[in-house]
Short mmCIF file of all heavy atoms in Angstrom, two decimals:
data_model
loop_
_atom_site.label_atom_id
_atom_site.label_comp_id
_atom_site.label_asym_id
_atom_site.label_seq_id
_atom_site.Cartn_x
_atom_site.Cartn_y
_atom_site.Cartn_z
N LEU A 808 108.33 91.80 143.30
CA LEU A 808 109.33 91.51 142.18
C LEU A 808 109.97 90.15 142.33
O LEU A 808 110.25 89.52 141.29
CB LEU A 808 110.39 92.60 142.19
CG LEU A 808 109.94 94.01 141.69
CD1 LEU A 808 111.09 94.97 141.81
CD2 LEU A 808 109.46 93.89 140.28
N PHE A 809 110.22 89.70 143.53
CA PHE A 809 111.03 88.45 143.71
C PHE A 809 110.18 87.29 144.24
O PHE A 809 110.73 86.20 144.40
CB PHE A 809 112.22 88.71 144.60
CG PHE A 809 113.20 89.68 143.98
CD1 PHE A 809 113.29 90.99 144.46
CD2 PHE A 809 113.98 89.33 142.88
CE1 PHE A 809 114.16 91.90 143.91
CE2 PHE A 809 114.85 90.24 142.31
CZ PHE A 809 114.97 91.52 142.84
N GLY A 810 108.93 87.52 144.53
CA GLY A 810 108.08 86.46 145.04
C GLY A 810 106.84 86.28 144.19
O GLY A 810 106.70 85.33 143.43
N GLU A 811 105.90 87.20 144.32
CA GLU A 811 104.59 87.04 143.71
C GLU A 811 104.61 87.05 142.18
O GLU A 811 103.97 86.18 141.56
CB GLU A 811 103.65 88.14 144.23
CG GLU A 811 103.36 88.00 145.71
CD GLU A 811 102.98 89.32 146.37
OE1 GLU A 811 103.40 90.39 145.88
OE2 GLU A 811 102.33 89.22 147.40
N LEU A 812 105.32 87.95 141.55
CA LEU A 812 105.33 88.04 140.10
C LEU A 812 106.03 86.82 139.45
O LEU A 812 105.49 86.24 138.54
CB LEU A 812 105.92 89.35 139.61
CG LEU A 812 105.15 90.61 140.03
CD1 LEU A 812 105.80 91.89 139.53
CD2 LEU A 812 103.70 90.54 139.56
N PRO A 813 107.20 86.42 139.97
CA PRO A 813 107.79 85.24 139.37
C PRO A 813 106.94 83.98 139.59
O PRO A 813 106.83 83.12 138.68
CB PRO A 813 109.14 85.07 140.09
CG PRO A 813 109.46 86.44 140.59
CD PRO A 813 108.14 87.08 140.88
N LEU A 814 106.33 83.85 140.75
CA LEU A 814 105.46 82.69 141.04
C LEU A 814 104.23 82.75 140.12
O LEU A 814 103.77 81.69 139.65
CB LEU A 814 105.06 82.66 142.50
CG LEU A 814 104.51 81.40 143.03
CD1 LEU A 814 105.33 80.14 142.65
CD2 LEU A 814 104.33 81.47 144.53
N ALA A 815 103.69 83.93 139.88
CA ALA A 815 102.56 84.07 138.93
C ALA A 815 102.96 83.58 137.54
O ALA A 815 102.22 82.89 136.89
CB ALA A 815 102.08 85.50 138.86
N PHE A 816 104.19 83.99 137.11
CA PHE A 816 104.72 83.57 135.81
C PHE A 816 104.79 82.05 135.76
O PHE A 816 104.38 81.41 134.75
CB PHE A 816 106.08 84.17 135.55
CG PHE A 816 106.73 83.66 134.29
CD1 PHE A 816 106.39 84.15 133.06
CD2 PHE A 816 107.70 82.65 134.35
CE1 PHE A 816 106.93 83.64 131.89
CE2 PHE A 816 108.27 82.17 133.22
CZ PHE A 816 107.93 82.65 131.97
N VAL A 817 105.26 81.39 136.82
CA VAL A 817 105.37 79.93 136.86
C VAL A 817 103.93 79.32 136.77
O VAL A 817 103.73 78.36 136.05
CB VAL A 817 106.07 79.44 138.14
CG1 VAL A 817 105.94 77.97 138.35
CG2 VAL A 817 107.55 79.86 138.08
N CYS A 818 102.97 79.92 137.47
CA CYS A 818 101.62 79.43 137.37
C CYS A 818 101.07 79.53 135.97
O CYS A 818 100.46 78.59 135.47
CB CYS A 818 100.69 80.22 138.35
SG CYS A 818 100.96 79.86 140.10
N PHE A 819 101.25 80.62 135.29
CA PHE A 819 100.81 80.76 133.93
C PHE A 819 101.55 79.80 132.97
O PHE A 819 100.94 79.29 132.04
CB PHE A 819 100.94 82.22 133.43
CG PHE A 819 100.03 83.17 134.21
CD1 PHE A 819 100.52 84.36 134.64
CD2 PHE A 819 98.73 82.88 134.46
CE1 PHE A 819 99.71 85.24 135.36
CE2 PHE A 819 97.88 83.75 135.11
CZ PHE A 819 98.38 84.93 135.57
N TRP A 820 102.82 79.57 133.22
CA TRP A 820 103.56 78.62 132.45
C TRP A 820 103.00 77.18 132.63
O TRP A 820 102.85 76.47 131.66
CB TRP A 820 105.05 78.66 132.86
CG TRP A 820 105.91 77.69 132.10
CD1 TRP A 820 106.40 77.80 130.82
CD2 TRP A 820 106.36 76.40 132.59
NE1 TRP A 820 107.13 76.71 130.51
CE2 TRP A 820 107.14 75.83 131.59
CE3 TRP A 820 106.16 75.76 133.82
CZ2 TRP A 820 107.71 74.61 131.72
CZ3 TRP A 820 106.80 74.50 133.95
CH2 TRP A 820 107.57 73.97 132.95
N ILE A 821 102.67 76.84 133.87
CA ILE A 821 102.06 75.53 134.16
C ILE A 821 100.72 75.41 133.38
O ILE A 821 100.42 74.38 132.78
CB ILE A 821 101.84 75.33 135.65
CG1 ILE A 821 103.19 75.19 136.33
CG2 ILE A 821 100.93 74.13 135.95
CD1 ILE A 821 103.12 75.24 137.86
N ALA A 822 99.89 76.48 133.46
CA ALA A 822 98.59 76.44 132.76
C ALA A 822 98.82 76.27 131.26
O ALA A 822 98.10 75.45 130.63
CB ALA A 822 97.82 77.72 133.05
N TYR A 823 99.73 76.98 130.71
CA TYR A 823 100.03 76.90 129.28
C TYR A 823 100.54 75.51 128.89
O TYR A 823 100.04 74.90 127.94
CB TYR A 823 101.10 77.98 128.87
CG TYR A 823 101.61 77.83 127.48
CD1 TYR A 823 100.85 78.22 126.40
CD2 TYR A 823 102.87 77.28 127.23
CE1 TYR A 823 101.30 78.09 125.12
CE2 TYR A 823 103.33 77.13 125.94
CZ TYR A 823 102.54 77.55 124.87
OH TYR A 823 103.00 77.40 123.60
N ARG A 824 101.48 75.00 129.70
CA ARG A 824 102.03 73.66 129.33
C ARG A 824 100.97 72.58 129.49
O ARG A 824 100.94 71.60 128.69
CB ARG A 824 103.20 73.36 130.29
CG ARG A 824 104.44 74.19 130.10
CD ARG A 824 105.15 73.81 128.86
NE ARG A 824 105.55 72.45 128.98
CZ ARG A 824 106.38 71.83 128.17
NH1 ARG A 824 106.92 72.48 127.18
NH2 ARG A 824 106.74 70.57 128.34
N THR A 825 100.09 72.71 130.49
CA THR A 825 99.03 71.70 130.66
C THR A 825 98.08 71.74 129.48
O THR A 825 97.65 70.69 128.98
CB THR A 825 98.31 71.97 132.01
OG1 THR A 825 99.22 71.95 133.07
CG2 THR A 825 97.23 70.91 132.22
N GLU A 826 97.71 72.90 129.07
CA GLU A 826 96.80 73.04 127.88
C GLU A 826 97.44 72.42 126.66
O GLU A 826 96.76 71.75 125.87
CB GLU A 826 96.38 74.50 127.67
CG GLU A 826 95.44 75.02 128.68
CD GLU A 826 94.09 74.29 128.69
OE1 GLU A 826 93.56 73.97 127.61
OE2 GLU A 826 93.62 73.97 129.78
N ARG A 827 98.73 72.72 126.43
CA ARG A 827 99.46 72.14 125.29
C ARG A 827 99.46 70.61 125.38
O ARG A 827 99.23 69.91 124.38
CB ARG A 827 100.88 72.64 125.20
CG ARG A 827 100.93 74.02 124.60
CD ARG A 827 102.36 74.43 124.29
NE ARG A 827 103.04 73.44 123.48
CZ ARG A 827 104.36 73.27 123.43
NH1 ARG A 827 105.12 74.01 124.18
NH2 ARG A 827 104.90 72.36 122.68
N PHE A 828 99.73 70.08 126.58
CA PHE A 828 99.73 68.63 126.77
C PHE A 828 98.35 68.04 126.46
O PHE A 828 98.28 67.02 125.73
CB PHE A 828 100.14 68.29 128.20
CG PHE A 828 100.06 66.83 128.51
CD1 PHE A 828 101.06 65.98 128.08
CD2 PHE A 828 99.01 66.34 129.22
CE1 PHE A 828 100.98 64.61 128.34
CE2 PHE A 828 98.93 64.96 129.52
CZ PHE A 828 99.90 64.11 129.07
N LEU A 829 97.31 68.64 126.96
CA LEU A 829 95.96 68.15 126.71
C LEU A 829 95.65 68.19 125.23
O LEU A 829 95.01 67.26 124.70
CB LEU A 829 94.95 68.91 127.52
CG LEU A 829 94.95 68.69 129.03
CD1 LEU A 829 94.03 69.65 129.71
CD2 LEU A 829 94.66 67.24 129.38
N ALA A 830 96.03 69.24 124.52
CA ALA A 830 95.81 69.33 123.09
C ALA A 830 96.54 68.24 122.34
O ALA A 830 95.98 67.65 121.39
CB ALA A 830 96.22 70.72 122.56
N GLN A 831 97.77 67.94 122.76
CA GLN A 831 98.53 66.86 122.11
C GLN A 831 97.85 65.48 122.38
O GLN A 831 97.85 64.65 121.52
CB GLN A 831 99.95 66.85 122.64
CG GLN A 831 100.75 68.02 122.13
CD GLN A 831 102.16 68.12 122.82
OE1 GLN A 831 102.43 67.38 123.76
NE2 GLN A 831 102.93 69.05 122.35
N MET A 832 97.33 65.31 123.57
CA MET A 832 96.63 64.07 123.86
C MET A 832 95.40 63.91 123.03
O MET A 832 95.09 62.81 122.50
CB MET A 832 96.26 63.95 125.35
CG MET A 832 97.45 63.86 126.30
SD MET A 832 98.42 62.36 126.03
CE MET A 832 99.76 62.95 125.04
N VAL A 833 94.66 65.00 122.77
CA VAL A 833 93.48 64.95 121.95
C VAL A 833 93.88 64.64 120.52
O VAL A 833 93.24 63.81 119.83
CB VAL A 833 92.69 66.30 122.01
CG1 VAL A 833 91.63 66.34 120.97
CG2 VAL A 833 92.08 66.45 123.41
N ASP A 834 94.93 65.32 120.04
CA ASP A 834 95.41 65.03 118.66
C ASP A 834 95.84 63.59 118.49
O ASP A 834 95.53 62.96 117.51
CB ASP A 834 96.62 65.95 118.35
CG ASP A 834 96.23 67.38 118.10
OD1 ASP A 834 95.03 67.64 117.88
OD2 ASP A 834 97.14 68.25 118.15
N ALA A 835 96.56 63.06 119.53
CA ALA A 835 97.00 61.65 119.42
C ALA A 835 95.82 60.71 119.44
O ALA A 835 95.76 59.71 118.73
CB ALA A 835 97.93 61.37 120.61
N ALA A 836 94.80 61.01 120.29
CA ALA A 836 93.62 60.13 120.34
C ALA A 836 92.87 60.18 119.01
O ALA A 836 92.41 59.13 118.54
CB ALA A 836 92.75 60.55 121.49
N VAL A 837 92.72 61.31 118.45
CA VAL A 837 92.04 61.42 117.14
C VAL A 837 92.83 60.71 116.08
O VAL A 837 92.28 60.05 115.21
CB VAL A 837 91.78 62.92 116.81
CG1 VAL A 837 91.26 63.05 115.41
CG2 VAL A 837 90.82 63.53 117.80
N GLY A 838 94.18 60.80 116.16
CA GLY A 838 95.03 60.16 115.20
C GLY A 838 94.90 58.64 115.25
O GLY A 838 95.06 57.96 114.25
N ARG A 839 94.52 58.10 116.41
CA ARG A 839 94.34 56.65 116.56
C ARG A 839 92.89 56.24 116.23
O ARG A 839 92.51 55.12 116.43
CB ARG A 839 94.69 56.21 118.02
CG ARG A 839 96.14 56.29 118.37
CD ARG A 839 96.41 55.65 119.70
NE ARG A 839 95.55 56.17 120.76
CZ ARG A 839 95.88 57.15 121.62
NH1 ARG A 839 97.01 57.75 121.47
NH2 ARG A 839 95.03 57.52 122.59
N GLY A 840 92.10 57.21 115.78
CA GLY A 840 90.72 56.94 115.43
C GLY A 840 89.73 57.08 116.56
O GLY A 840 88.57 56.73 116.42
N ALA A 841 90.18 57.54 117.73
CA ALA A 841 89.26 57.70 118.86
C ALA A 841 88.38 58.93 118.59
O ALA A 841 88.80 59.91 117.98
CB ALA A 841 90.03 57.89 120.13
N ALA A 842 87.15 58.85 119.01
CA ALA A 842 86.23 59.99 118.90
C ALA A 842 86.66 61.04 119.94
O ALA A 842 87.00 60.72 121.03
CB ALA A 842 84.81 59.53 119.18
N SER A 843 86.63 62.29 119.49
CA SER A 843 86.98 63.38 120.33
C SER A 843 85.81 64.32 120.52
O SER A 843 85.11 64.64 119.55
CB SER A 843 88.18 64.16 119.74
OG SER A 843 88.37 65.33 120.45
N HIS A 844 85.64 64.79 121.72
CA HIS A 844 84.63 65.79 122.01
C HIS A 844 85.27 67.12 122.30
O HIS A 844 84.60 68.04 122.71
CB HIS A 844 83.77 65.34 123.19
CG HIS A 844 83.15 63.99 122.99
ND1 HIS A 844 82.17 63.76 122.04
CD2 HIS A 844 83.40 62.78 123.52
CE1 HIS A 844 81.82 62.54 122.03
NE2 HIS A 844 82.58 61.92 122.92
N LEU A 845 86.57 67.23 122.09
CA LEU A 845 87.32 68.44 122.34
C LEU A 845 87.94 68.95 121.08
O LEU A 845 88.49 68.14 120.29
CB LEU A 845 88.41 68.21 123.41
CG LEU A 845 87.98 67.74 124.76
CD1 LEU A 845 89.21 67.38 125.58
CD2 LEU A 845 87.18 68.83 125.47
N ALA A 846 87.92 70.22 120.86
CA ALA A 846 88.65 70.81 119.74
C ALA A 846 90.08 71.10 120.21
O ALA A 846 90.27 71.48 121.35
CB ALA A 846 87.96 72.10 119.31
N THR A 847 91.02 70.86 119.32
CA THR A 847 92.40 71.15 119.70
C THR A 847 92.59 72.64 119.72
O THR A 847 91.83 73.39 119.21
CB THR A 847 93.39 70.49 118.69
OG1 THR A 847 93.04 70.98 117.39
CG2 THR A 847 93.29 68.99 118.71
N ALA A 848 93.69 73.04 120.39
CA ALA A 848 93.95 74.47 120.57
C ALA A 848 94.01 75.17 119.22
O ALA A 848 94.65 74.68 118.29
CB ALA A 848 95.27 74.63 121.33
N GLY A 849 93.35 76.30 119.10
CA GLY A 849 93.42 77.12 117.90
C GLY A 849 92.46 76.66 116.82
O GLY A 849 92.46 77.21 115.73
N GLN A 850 91.61 75.67 117.08
CA GLN A 850 90.72 75.20 116.06
C GLN A 850 89.29 75.22 116.59
O GLN A 850 89.06 75.12 117.80
CB GLN A 850 91.01 73.75 115.68
CG GLN A 850 92.39 73.62 115.05
CD GLN A 850 92.68 72.15 114.75
OE1 GLN A 850 91.92 71.24 115.12
NE2 GLN A 850 93.77 71.90 114.05
N GLY A 851 88.34 75.35 115.72
CA GLY A 851 86.93 75.28 116.13
C GLY A 851 86.55 73.84 116.33
O GLY A 851 87.30 72.90 116.10
N ALA A 852 85.30 73.63 116.75
CA ALA A 852 84.81 72.29 116.98
C ALA A 852 84.72 71.52 115.64
O ALA A 852 84.33 72.06 114.63
CB ALA A 852 83.41 72.34 117.65
N ALA A 853 85.16 70.28 115.69
CA ALA A 853 85.10 69.43 114.50
C ALA A 853 83.68 68.98 114.27
O ALA A 853 82.86 68.93 115.20
CB ALA A 853 86.03 68.22 114.66
N GLU A 854 83.34 68.58 113.03
CA GLU A 854 81.98 68.15 112.74
C GLU A 854 81.57 66.92 113.57
O GLU A 854 80.42 66.76 113.89
CB GLU A 854 81.84 67.85 111.25
CG GLU A 854 81.82 69.11 110.41
CD GLU A 854 81.46 68.80 108.96
OE1 GLU A 854 80.67 67.86 108.70
OE2 GLU A 854 81.98 69.55 108.09
N ARG A 855 82.52 66.12 113.95
CA ARG A 855 82.14 64.89 114.69
C ARG A 855 81.95 65.20 116.18
O ARG A 855 81.51 64.31 116.93
CB ARG A 855 83.23 63.81 114.54
CG ARG A 855 84.56 64.21 115.10
CD ARG A 855 85.61 63.16 114.80
NE ARG A 855 86.93 63.63 115.17
CZ ARG A 855 87.69 64.37 114.44
NH1 ARG A 855 87.30 64.87 113.31
NH2 ARG A 855 88.88 64.78 114.91
#
């Protein structure tokens, strides 16, 4: 209750935040006209 479960929550939060950050970086790169090989979170692969 006071060690493993809270630490697991922190780990999942880190994973979530990192994925959000990476999705924002992909969005920003595509916005600047850079080619992307990654689909942003919640979207399918783009035609390009």
Side-chain angles (χ1 to χ4, degrees):
L808 288 176
F809 297 107
E811 293 154 336
L812 296 179
L814 194 50
F816 174 80
V817 170
C818 288
F819 294 135
W820 179 79
I821 290 168
Y823 172 76
R824 293 287 299 191
T825 303
E826 287 298 317
R827 279 191 53 206
F828 175 77
L829 291 173
Q831 290 171 352
M832 293 297 99
V833 169
D834 287 343
V837 171
R839 291 189 308 266
S843 170
H844 305 291
L845 299 173
T847 56
Q850 298 178 352
E854 286 189 33
R855 66 185 171 279

